[in-house]
């Protein structure tokens, strides 16, 4: 990095894109990140910052623009931090996102799987059905500048629906007319923090104004302003959030006018959406995403499916149409209440829901003996906790369908699953967020089953009468495995491994009393640990 100097101009070629949508230029082996650069272009760039392992630069001159360079339609592009790719044609944006997912799976996940395709949006504009407008201390309503909390005032956004922009503008007019103060996050004073809008397929909208207090002045006038600007408004609410920090919504809601929910249709099902409900922001692409997840699940109508991070039950109820039994788990009580109501509304009787942390619910179900055929997960950006992955593997499903909104944490988790015997065999990207760097991915993880038999060569001449004295009890094997490998193994798993090795097992082990037994199979890492114990006790 000593060869690069700040404020000096260099010439280089853009090779690809970073996870944040920046162009990547290599200068004498050093990586330079350049905003709004396009793959294949030769550019003159000025180094703006030199770091330990990389550098940042800005374009000074483009020698020949790429045919994939586009003129941004948004007048706020470059100031507002909402979009990253408006300087690219849509096919090039899709290439960048597919490559990002492939790099994450290959480099971070060490997975030998190819991203089969990226499914682009037919309508890459005005697709968001949920909009969250921060309000600046000066009363500006818009979106944050990149890597800051400075609000850029925005009147018309190309990825938000018109109803949302009009709602935000109406709240701004109400604030100015009645001198309602905006919230200042540096001092913790002021009132209006965010304007939150949902819009359904029919064009109805739900407005929620987030305030730093319990009540706002002139609340009837607030509702009147919003309804006048957007006649299809279904309800106007106030949410109280008096805590400092970046969390948008508080826990208390009041309805000023109309109702506190919207109805929407997705994948042929009807869903009730309250303000805090998790719901994919791009409805059309969500149907494509869920369709791919169903395809990967490979359901025939008989399977038991566990759906973790189920939200209001969107994926769960889609799975229920093709499975024998589906169980959804979610930590938000209001979401579970909506999920149960959505199941009843759609007359789905083979779905049940549990409220709780994913790790705790999965561990409890595993301890109770649940052995699902398929597990689906759709976690937040931070991905899955190690204990969740471990519990899923302990359940022994044949397939795990992972829906991810962050390629980096997906790659990390795919590698963890591989260590527990689940290999990524299929992957597909879905462009849920055109114009931005974000991308959704569906990955199919398949259980890699050990061979049905293990060949062991025994020299019978070396066996003597003392062999029986060296046989360890099941409890001794469990203790050895725990002490050496820090793994808990059941008597059932020990008996399965002993049976594979041709060793005698008790008459009742590895048998089920049920009429249609479904016995969990010993995971590969536990099988290896048990084998080690059998060798240690000279039973092999």
């Amino acid at each position: 990095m000593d060869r690069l100097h700040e404020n000096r101009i260099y010439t280089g070629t853009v090779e690809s894109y970073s996870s944040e949508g920046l162009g990547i230029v290599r200068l004498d082996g050093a990586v330079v990140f350049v905003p709004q650069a396009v793959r294949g272009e030769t550019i003159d760039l000025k180094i703006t910052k030199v770091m330990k392992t990389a550098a940042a630069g800005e374009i000074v001159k483009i020698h020949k623009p790429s045919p994939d360079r586009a003129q941004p339609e948004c007048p706020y592009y470059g100031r507002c931090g909402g979009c990253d790719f408006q300087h690219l044609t849509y096919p090039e944006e899709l290439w960048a996102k597919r490559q990002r997912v492939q790099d994450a799976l290959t480099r971070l996940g060490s997975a030998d799987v190819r991203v089969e395709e990226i499914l682009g949006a037919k309508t890459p504009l005005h697709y968001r059905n949920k909009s969250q407008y921060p309000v600046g201390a000066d009363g500006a309503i818009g979106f944050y500048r990149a890597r800051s909390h400075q609000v850029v005032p925005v009147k018309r956004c190309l990825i938000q629906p018109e109803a949302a922009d009009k709602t935000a503008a109406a709240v701004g007019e109400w604030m100015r007319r009645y001198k309602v103060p905006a919230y200042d996050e540096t001092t913790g004073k002021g009132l209006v923090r965010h304007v939150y809008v949902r819009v359904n397929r029919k064009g109805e909208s739900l407005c929620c104004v987030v305030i730093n207090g319990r009540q706002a002045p002139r609340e009837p006038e607030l509702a009147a302003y919003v309804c006048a600007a957007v006649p299809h408004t279904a309800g106007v609410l106030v949410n109280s959030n008096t805590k400092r920090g970046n969390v948008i919504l508080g826990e208390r809601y009041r309805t000023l006018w109309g109702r506190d929910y919207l109805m929407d249709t997705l994948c042929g099902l009807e869903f009730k959406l309250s303000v805090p409900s998790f719901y994919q922001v791009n409805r059309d692409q969500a149907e494509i995403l869920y369709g791919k997840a169903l395809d990967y699940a490979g359901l025939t109508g008989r399977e038991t499916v566990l759906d973790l991070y189920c939200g209001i039950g969107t994926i769960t109820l889609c799975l229920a149409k093709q499975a024998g039994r589906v169980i959804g788990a979610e930590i938000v009580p209001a979401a579970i209440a909506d999920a149960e109501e959505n199941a009843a509304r759609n007359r789905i009787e083979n779905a049940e829901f549990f409220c709780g942390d994913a790790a705790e619910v999965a561990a409890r179900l595993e301890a109770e003996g649940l052995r699902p055929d398929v597990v689906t997960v759709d976690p937040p950006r931070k991905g899955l906790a190690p204990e969740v992955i471990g519990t899923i593997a302990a359940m022994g499903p044949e397939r795990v369908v992972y829906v991810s909104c962050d390629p980096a944490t997906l790659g990390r988790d795919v590698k963890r699953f591989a260590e527990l015997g689940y290999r990524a065999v299929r992957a597909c990207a879905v462009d849920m967020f055109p114009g931005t760097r974000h991308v959704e991915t569906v990955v199919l993880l398949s259980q890699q089953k050990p061979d049905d038999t293990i060949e062991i060569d025994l020299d019978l001449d070396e066996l003597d009468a003392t062999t029986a004295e060296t046989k360890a009890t099941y409890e001794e094997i469990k203790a050895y495995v725990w002490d050496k490998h820090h793994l808990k193994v059941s008597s059932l798993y020990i008996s399965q491994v002993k049976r594979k090795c041709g060793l005698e097992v008790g008459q009742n082990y590895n048998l089920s009393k049920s009429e249609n037994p479904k016995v969990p199979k010993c995971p590969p890492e536990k099988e290896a640990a048990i084998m080690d114990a059998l060798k240690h006790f000279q039973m092999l």
Side-chain angles (χ1 to χ4, degrees):
M1 296 303 299
D2 294 339
R3 289 168 291 193
L4 297 182
H5 301 275
E6 290 185 5
N7 298 317
R8 185 173 294 182
I9 295 177
Y10 298 83
T11 300
T13 301
V14 184
E15 296 181 4
S16 58
Y17 305 98
S18 73
S19 60
E20 294 186 341
L22 304 175
I24 294 177
V25 177
R26 297 183 189 275
L27 298 175
D28 296 326
V31 175
V32 184
F33 298 107
V34 185
Q36 298 186 30
V38 181
R39 180 173 59 116
E41 291 182 337
T42 298
I43 61 174
D44 291 342
L45 62 95
K46 182 173 73 173
I47 300 297
T48 57
K49 186 176 182 179
V50 176
M51 298 162 280
K52 288 184 178 180
T53 58
E58 61 182 24
I59 297 175
V60 174
K61 177 183 177 182
I62 302 172
H63 289 272
K64 184 180 179 180
S66 165
D68 288 312
R69 177 173 287 280
Q71 181 63 37
E73 296 182 39
C74 177
Y76 311 103
Y77 187 59
R79 292 186 293 139
C80 167
C83 292
D84 311 280
F85 284 133
Q86 289 209 8
H87 63 287
L88 300 182
T89 62
Y90 192 48
E92 181 69 2
E93 177 183 338
L94 294 178
W95 183 93
K97 291 178 175 180
R98 180 177 182 176
Q99 191 60 42
R100 179 187 175 192
V101 174
Q102 185 67 70
D103 288 346
L105 290 172
T106 303
R107 297 178 185 178
L108 301 177
S110 301
D112 183 20
V113 63
R114 184 180 68 86
V115 179
E116 299 169 357
E117 58 185 337
I118 179 165
L119 302 173
K122 292 182 179 179
T123 307
L125 299 177
H126 308 301
Y127 57 83
R128 291 188 63 93
N129 57 54
K130 181 181 77 170
S131 307
Q132 298 173 148
Y133 301 84
V135 180
D138 60 354
I141 298 178
F143 300 102
Y144 291 125
R145 189 181 299 277
R147 301 174 187 84
S148 80
H149 269 211
Q150 179 186 354
V151 175
V152 176
V154 173
K155 292 184 178 179
R156 192 73 187 94
C157 176
L158 292 181
I159 64 174
Q160 313 292 342
E162 183 179 10
D165 284 338
K166 286 185 174 181
T167 299
V171 174
E173 291 177 12
W174 165 77
M175 292 175 64
R176 288 187 292 272
R177 172 66 177 81
Y178 297 106
K179 296 181 173 55
V180 180
Y183 175 73
D184 187 340
E185 62 181 20
T186 60
T187 65
K189 297 180 180 179
L191 191 66
V192 182
R193 302 178 64 147
H194 275 81
V195 180
Y196 180 111
V197 186
R198 278 193 184 276
V199 179
N200 66 10
R201 191 184 294 271
K202 295 192 297 185
E204 296 174 326
S205 61
L206 192 66
C207 169
C208 180
V209 179
V210 183
I211 62 173
N212 178 40
R214 294 197 174 187
Q215 193 165 2
R218 302 281 190 165
E219 289 183 344
E221 287 82 354
L222 168 60
Y225 265 80
V226 171
C227 292
V230 185
H232 293 295
T233 298
V236 180
L237 294 82
V238 165
N239 173 263
S240 297
N241 181 6
T242 57
K243 295 181 180 179
R244 311 255 322 236
N246 296 329
V247 177
I248 294 176
L249 295 172
E251 296 180 356
R252 295 183 178 181
Y253 297 85
R254 285 187 300 109
T255 303
L256 305 184
W257 179 87
R259 61 178 190 264
D260 62 355
Y261 65 91
L262 287 180
M263 300 304 301
D264 204 13
T265 56
L266 182 72
C267 299
L269 299 171
E270 192 173 31
F271 292 95
K272 177 184 177 182
L273 307 175
S274 55
V275 172
S277 298
F278 172 77
Y279 193 64
Q280 293 287 359
V281 299
N282 188 329
R283 184 187 308 102
D284 293 342
Q285 288 298 94
E287 292 184 333
I288 292 174
L289 178 73
Y290 292 171
K292 184 61 67 173
L294 282 169
D295 176 34
Y296 283 6
L299 303 177
T300 65
R302 298 186 299 271
E303 293 83 2
T304 295
V305 183
L306 173 62
D307 180 28
L308 299 177
Y309 307 93
C310 70
I312 62 171
T314 47
I315 294 182
T316 319
L317 300 183
C318 290
L319 291 164
K321 294 192 294 184
Q322 299 183 20
R325 177 193 182 198
V326 179
I327 302 168
E330 169 62 51
I331 196 171
V332 181
I336 287 295
D338 285 345
E340 292 174 338
E341 189 174 331
N342 288 329
R345 178 178 293 106
N346 290 282
R347 298 180 181 179
I348 292 177
E349 299 179 352
N350 60 334
E352 55 189 302
F353 297 92
F354 292 92
C355 185
D357 176 73
E360 296 174 359
V361 172
R364 185 174 80 246
L365 293 173
E366 192 273 336
E368 292 173 355
L370 179 69
R371 297 296 179 261
D373 302 282
V374 178
V375 172
T376 60
V377 294
D378 186 6
R381 293 194 187 282
K382 65 181 180 179
L384 299 174
E387 56 268 27
V388 175
I389 297 175
T391 301
I392 291 172
M395 289 180 172
E398 293 184 8
R399 296 176 297 284
V400 176
V401 179
Y402 195 137
V403 178
S404 168
C405 60
D406 187 276
T409 56
L410 171 65
R412 177 202 67 197
D413 292 348
V414 163
K415 188 171 185 178
R416 289 174 176 171
F417 268 112
E419 294 168 353
L420 297 177
Y422 285 83
R423 184 171 66 89
V425 293
R426 294 189 69 184
C428 173
V430 179
D431 187 23
M432 190 78 73
F433 317 99
T436 78
R437 67 179 181 271
H438 304 297
V439 59
E440 292 272 336
T441 310
V442 186
V443 171
L444 172 61
L445 299 149
S446 178
Q447 184 186 43
Q448 302 305 292
K449 299 178 181 178
D451 294 335
D452 291 335
T453 59
I454 300 175
E455 294 185 4
I456 300 174
D457 293 327
L458 292 176
D459 187 348
L460 298 179
D461 293 336
E462 294 180 0
L463 299 179
D464 57 30
T466 62
T467 303
E469 299 175 7
T470 65
K471 289 183 178 179
T473 65
Y474 281 76
E475 294 307 315
E476 289 172 331
I477 293 173
K478 292 178 184 178
Y480 176 86
V481 170
W482 174 255
D483 290 339
K484 184 173 180 181
H485 300 278
H486 208 65
L487 290 172
K488 289 185 178 181
V489 295
S490 64
S491 298
L492 174 62
Y493 288 163
I494 296 172
S495 69
Q496 288 179 358
V497 176
K498 289 179 69 176
R499 191 183 295 276
K500 281 190 176 185
C501 297
L503 300 177
E504 183 179 351
V505 298
Q507 200 172 27
N508 292 324
Y509 282 119
N510 212 14
L511 298 177
S512 172
K513 296 180 181 179
S514 65
E515 190 173 353
N516 297 304
K518 183 173 182 182
V519 180
K521 296 184 179 179
C522 181
E525 81 281 1
K526 293 188 177 183
E527 180 175 336
I530 294 170
M531 287 285 290
D532 178 44
L534 296 179
K535 291 175 182 177
H536 171 76
F537 290 113
Q538 300 178 23
M539 298 171 72
L540 292 181

Short mmCIF file of all heavy atoms in Angstrom, two decimals, residues 88-116:
data_model
loop_
_atom_site.label_atom_id
_atom_site.label_comp_id
_atom_site.label_asym_id
_atom_site.label_seq_id
_atom_site.Cartn_x
_atom_site.Cartn_y
_atom_site.Cartn_z
N LEU A 88 -25.89 1.78 -13.52
CA LEU A 88 -25.74 0.56 -14.32
C LEU A 88 -27.02 0.24 -15.07
O LEU A 88 -28.12 0.56 -14.61
CB LEU A 88 -25.41 -0.64 -13.42
CG LEU A 88 -24.14 -0.60 -12.57
CD1 LEU A 88 -24.01 -1.91 -11.81
CD2 LEU A 88 -22.91 -0.34 -13.42
N THR A 89 -26.88 -0.42 -16.24
CA THR A 89 -28.05 -1.00 -16.88
C THR A 89 -28.56 -2.12 -15.99
O THR A 89 -27.80 -2.69 -15.18
CB THR A 89 -27.70 -1.55 -18.27
OG1 THR A 89 -26.72 -2.60 -18.12
CG2 THR A 89 -27.16 -0.46 -19.18
N TYR A 90 -29.82 -2.49 -16.13
CA TYR A 90 -30.36 -3.53 -15.24
C TYR A 90 -29.68 -4.88 -15.45
O TYR A 90 -29.39 -5.57 -14.47
CB TYR A 90 -31.87 -3.63 -15.42
CG TYR A 90 -32.53 -4.46 -14.34
CD1 TYR A 90 -32.22 -4.25 -13.00
CD2 TYR A 90 -33.45 -5.45 -14.64
CE1 TYR A 90 -32.81 -5.01 -11.99
CE2 TYR A 90 -34.05 -6.21 -13.65
CZ TYR A 90 -33.73 -5.99 -12.32
OH TYR A 90 -34.30 -6.74 -11.33
N PRO A 91 -29.38 -5.32 -16.69
CA PRO A 91 -28.65 -6.58 -16.84
C PRO A 91 -27.30 -6.58 -16.13
O PRO A 91 -26.90 -7.60 -15.56
CB PRO A 91 -28.49 -6.72 -18.36
CG PRO A 91 -29.63 -5.95 -18.93
CD PRO A 91 -29.80 -4.79 -18.01
N GLU A 92 -26.60 -5.46 -16.14
CA GLU A 92 -25.30 -5.40 -15.45
C GLU A 92 -25.49 -5.44 -13.94
O GLU A 92 -24.69 -6.05 -13.22
CB GLU A 92 -24.55 -4.13 -15.86
CG GLU A 92 -23.19 -3.98 -15.22
CD GLU A 92 -22.14 -4.98 -15.70
OE1 GLU A 92 -22.46 -5.81 -16.59
OE2 GLU A 92 -21.01 -4.93 -15.20
N GLU A 93 -26.55 -4.80 -13.45
CA GLU A 93 -26.86 -4.88 -12.02
C GLU A 93 -27.11 -6.32 -11.60
O GLU A 93 -26.61 -6.78 -10.56
CB GLU A 93 -28.09 -4.02 -11.71
CG GLU A 93 -28.54 -4.09 -10.27
CD GLU A 93 -29.81 -3.30 -9.99
OE1 GLU A 93 -30.12 -2.38 -10.77
OE2 GLU A 93 -30.48 -3.61 -8.99
N LEU A 94 -27.85 -7.05 -12.42
CA LEU A 94 -28.11 -8.46 -12.10
C LEU A 94 -26.83 -9.27 -12.13
O LEU A 94 -26.63 -10.17 -11.30
CB LEU A 94 -29.13 -9.03 -13.09
CG LEU A 94 -30.55 -8.45 -13.02
CD1 LEU A 94 -31.43 -9.08 -14.08
CD2 LEU A 94 -31.16 -8.64 -11.64
N TRP A 95 -25.93 -8.98 -13.07
CA TRP A 95 -24.65 -9.69 -13.12
C TRP A 95 -23.88 -9.46 -11.82
O TRP A 95 -23.30 -10.39 -11.24
CB TRP A 95 -23.81 -9.21 -14.30
CG TRP A 95 -22.51 -9.96 -14.43
CD1 TRP A 95 -22.26 -11.06 -15.18
CD2 TRP A 95 -21.28 -9.66 -13.74
NE1 TRP A 95 -20.95 -11.47 -15.01
CE2 TRP A 95 -20.33 -10.63 -14.13
CE3 TRP A 95 -20.88 -8.66 -12.84
CZ2 TRP A 95 -19.02 -10.64 -13.65
CZ3 TRP A 95 -19.58 -8.68 -12.34
CH2 TRP A 95 -18.67 -9.65 -12.75
N ALA A 96 -23.84 -8.20 -11.37
CA ALA A 96 -23.10 -7.86 -10.15
C ALA A 96 -23.66 -8.60 -8.94
O ALA A 96 -22.91 -9.10 -8.10
CB ALA A 96 -23.14 -6.35 -9.92
N LYS A 97 -24.97 -8.69 -8.85
CA LYS A 97 -25.59 -9.35 -7.70
C LYS A 97 -25.38 -10.85 -7.73
O LYS A 97 -25.11 -11.48 -6.70
CB LYS A 97 -27.08 -9.00 -7.65
CG LYS A 97 -27.34 -7.54 -7.32
CD LYS A 97 -28.82 -7.19 -7.32
CE LYS A 97 -29.03 -5.75 -6.87
NZ LYS A 97 -30.44 -5.36 -6.85
N ARG A 98 -25.51 -11.43 -8.90
CA ARG A 98 -25.28 -12.88 -9.01
C ARG A 98 -23.84 -13.20 -8.64
O ARG A 98 -23.58 -14.19 -7.93
CB ARG A 98 -25.59 -13.35 -10.43
CG ARG A 98 -25.37 -14.85 -10.63
CD ARG A 98 -25.77 -15.26 -12.03
NE ARG A 98 -25.61 -16.70 -12.23
CZ ARG A 98 -25.95 -17.33 -13.34
NH1 ARG A 98 -26.51 -16.67 -14.35
NH2 ARG A 98 -25.76 -18.63 -13.45
N GLN A 99 -22.91 -12.39 -9.10
CA GLN A 99 -21.50 -12.64 -8.80
C GLN A 99 -21.22 -12.47 -7.31
O GLN A 99 -20.42 -13.21 -6.73
CB GLN A 99 -20.60 -11.69 -9.60
CG GLN A 99 -19.13 -12.05 -9.56
CD GLN A 99 -18.86 -13.44 -10.12
OE1 GLN A 99 -19.44 -13.83 -11.14
NE2 GLN A 99 -18.00 -14.19 -9.44
N ARG A 100 -21.90 -11.51 -6.69
CA ARG A 100 -21.73 -11.32 -5.25
C ARG A 100 -22.15 -12.57 -4.48
O ARG A 100 -21.46 -13.01 -3.55
CB ARG A 100 -22.55 -10.12 -4.78
CG ARG A 100 -22.44 -9.85 -3.30
CD ARG A 100 -23.40 -8.76 -2.85
NE ARG A 100 -23.37 -8.61 -1.40
CZ ARG A 100 -24.24 -7.91 -0.70
NH1 ARG A 100 -25.23 -7.27 -1.33
NH2 ARG A 100 -24.16 -7.83 0.61
N VAL A 101 -23.29 -13.14 -4.85
CA VAL A 101 -23.76 -14.36 -4.19
C VAL A 101 -22.80 -15.52 -4.45
O VAL A 101 -22.46 -16.28 -3.54
CB VAL A 101 -25.18 -14.71 -4.65
CG1 VAL A 101 -25.62 -16.05 -4.08
CG2 VAL A 101 -26.16 -13.62 -4.24
N GLN A 102 -22.34 -15.65 -5.70
CA GLN A 102 -21.42 -16.73 -6.03
C GLN A 102 -20.12 -16.61 -5.22
O GLN A 102 -19.61 -17.61 -4.69
CB GLN A 102 -21.10 -16.72 -7.53
CG GLN A 102 -20.24 -17.89 -7.99
CD GLN A 102 -20.98 -19.22 -7.88
OE1 GLN A 102 -21.91 -19.47 -8.64
NE2 GLN A 102 -20.57 -20.06 -6.94
N ASP A 103 -19.58 -15.40 -5.13
CA ASP A 103 -18.35 -15.20 -4.36
C ASP A 103 -18.55 -15.56 -2.90
O ASP A 103 -17.66 -16.16 -2.27
CB ASP A 103 -17.90 -13.74 -4.48
CG ASP A 103 -17.34 -13.40 -5.85
OD1 ASP A 103 -17.05 -14.35 -6.61
OD2 ASP A 103 -17.21 -12.20 -6.16
N ALA A 104 -19.69 -15.19 -2.33
CA ALA A 104 -19.95 -15.48 -0.93
C ALA A 104 -20.02 -16.98 -0.68
O ALA A 104 -19.47 -17.49 0.30
CB ALA A 104 -21.25 -14.81 -0.48
N LEU A 105 -20.70 -17.70 -1.56
CA LEU A 105 -20.82 -19.15 -1.38
C LEU A 105 -19.49 -19.86 -1.60
O LEU A 105 -19.15 -20.81 -0.88
CB LEU A 105 -21.87 -19.70 -2.35
CG LEU A 105 -23.32 -19.31 -2.05
CD1 LEU A 105 -24.24 -19.76 -3.18
CD2 LEU A 105 -23.78 -19.91 -0.73
N THR A 106 -18.72 -19.39 -2.57
CA THR A 106 -17.45 -20.05 -2.89
C THR A 106 -16.35 -19.69 -1.90
O THR A 106 -15.67 -20.57 -1.37
CB THR A 106 -17.01 -19.69 -4.32
OG1 THR A 106 -18.05 -20.05 -5.24
CG2 THR A 106 -15.73 -20.42 -4.70
N ARG A 107 -16.17 -18.38 -1.67
CA ARG A 107 -15.05 -17.94 -0.85
C ARG A 107 -15.33 -18.02 0.65
O ARG A 107 -14.48 -18.45 1.42
CB ARG A 107 -14.69 -16.50 -1.23
CG ARG A 107 -14.22 -16.37 -2.67
CD ARG A 107 -13.92 -14.92 -3.02
NE ARG A 107 -13.57 -14.76 -4.43
CZ ARG A 107 -13.31 -13.60 -5.01
NH1 ARG A 107 -13.36 -12.48 -4.30
NH2 ARG A 107 -13.01 -13.54 -6.30
N LEU A 108 -16.52 -17.58 1.06
CA LEU A 108 -16.85 -17.62 2.47
C LEU A 108 -17.42 -18.97 2.88
O LEU A 108 -17.17 -19.44 3.99
CB LEU A 108 -17.85 -16.51 2.82
CG LEU A 108 -17.40 -15.07 2.52
CD1 LEU A 108 -18.52 -14.09 2.86
CD2 LEU A 108 -16.15 -14.73 3.30
N GLY A 109 -18.20 -19.57 2.00
CA GLY A 109 -18.84 -20.83 2.34
C GLY A 109 -18.08 -22.06 1.94
O GLY A 109 -18.47 -23.18 2.31
N SER A 110 -17.00 -21.89 1.15
CA SER A 110 -16.21 -23.04 0.66
C SER A 110 -17.13 -24.08 0.01
O SER A 110 -16.89 -25.28 0.13
CB SER A 110 -15.40 -23.68 1.80
OG SER A 110 -14.53 -22.74 2.38
N ALA A 111 -18.17 -23.61 -0.66
CA ALA A 111 -19.17 -24.50 -1.25
C ALA A 111 -18.92 -24.70 -2.73
O ALA A 111 -18.65 -23.74 -3.46
CB ALA A 111 -20.57 -23.94 -1.03
N ASP A 112 -19.02 -25.93 -3.15
CA ASP A 112 -18.88 -26.26 -4.57
C ASP A 112 -20.27 -26.28 -5.19
O ASP A 112 -20.80 -27.33 -5.55
CB ASP A 112 -18.19 -27.61 -4.72
CG ASP A 112 -17.95 -27.98 -6.19
OD1 ASP A 112 -17.97 -27.05 -7.03
OD2 ASP A 112 -17.76 -29.18 -6.49
N VAL A 113 -20.86 -25.11 -5.30
CA VAL A 113 -22.20 -25.00 -5.86
C VAL A 113 -22.25 -23.77 -6.76
O VAL A 113 -21.63 -22.75 -6.46
CB VAL A 113 -23.27 -24.89 -4.74
CG1 VAL A 113 -23.07 -23.64 -3.91
CG2 VAL A 113 -24.67 -24.92 -5.31
N ARG A 114 -22.95 -23.89 -7.86
CA ARG A 114 -23.05 -22.79 -8.81
C ARG A 114 -24.39 -22.08 -8.63
O ARG A 114 -25.42 -22.73 -8.49
CB ARG A 114 -22.94 -23.32 -10.24
CG ARG A 114 -22.95 -22.24 -11.33
CD ARG A 114 -22.84 -22.86 -12.70
NE ARG A 114 -24.02 -23.64 -13.05
CZ ARG A 114 -25.11 -23.12 -13.61
NH1 ARG A 114 -25.17 -21.82 -13.89
NH2 ARG A 114 -26.15 -23.90 -13.90
N VAL A 115 -24.36 -20.76 -8.62
CA VAL A 115 -25.61 -20.00 -8.58
C VAL A 115 -26.26 -20.16 -9.95
O VAL A 115 -25.77 -19.63 -10.95
CB VAL A 115 -25.35 -18.52 -8.26
CG1 VAL A 115 -26.67 -17.74 -8.25
CG2 VAL A 115 -24.65 -18.38 -6.91
N GLU A 116 -27.35 -20.90 -10.00
CA GLU A 116 -27.94 -21.30 -11.27
C GLU A 116 -28.42 -20.11 -12.10
O GLU A 116 -28.30 -20.10 -13.32
CB GLU A 116 -29.12 -22.26 -11.01
CG GLU A 116 -28.69 -23.53 -10.31
CD GLU A 116 -29.88 -24.35 -9.81
OE1 GLU A 116 -31.03 -23.88 -9.97
OE2 GLU A 116 -29.66 -25.44 -9.25
#
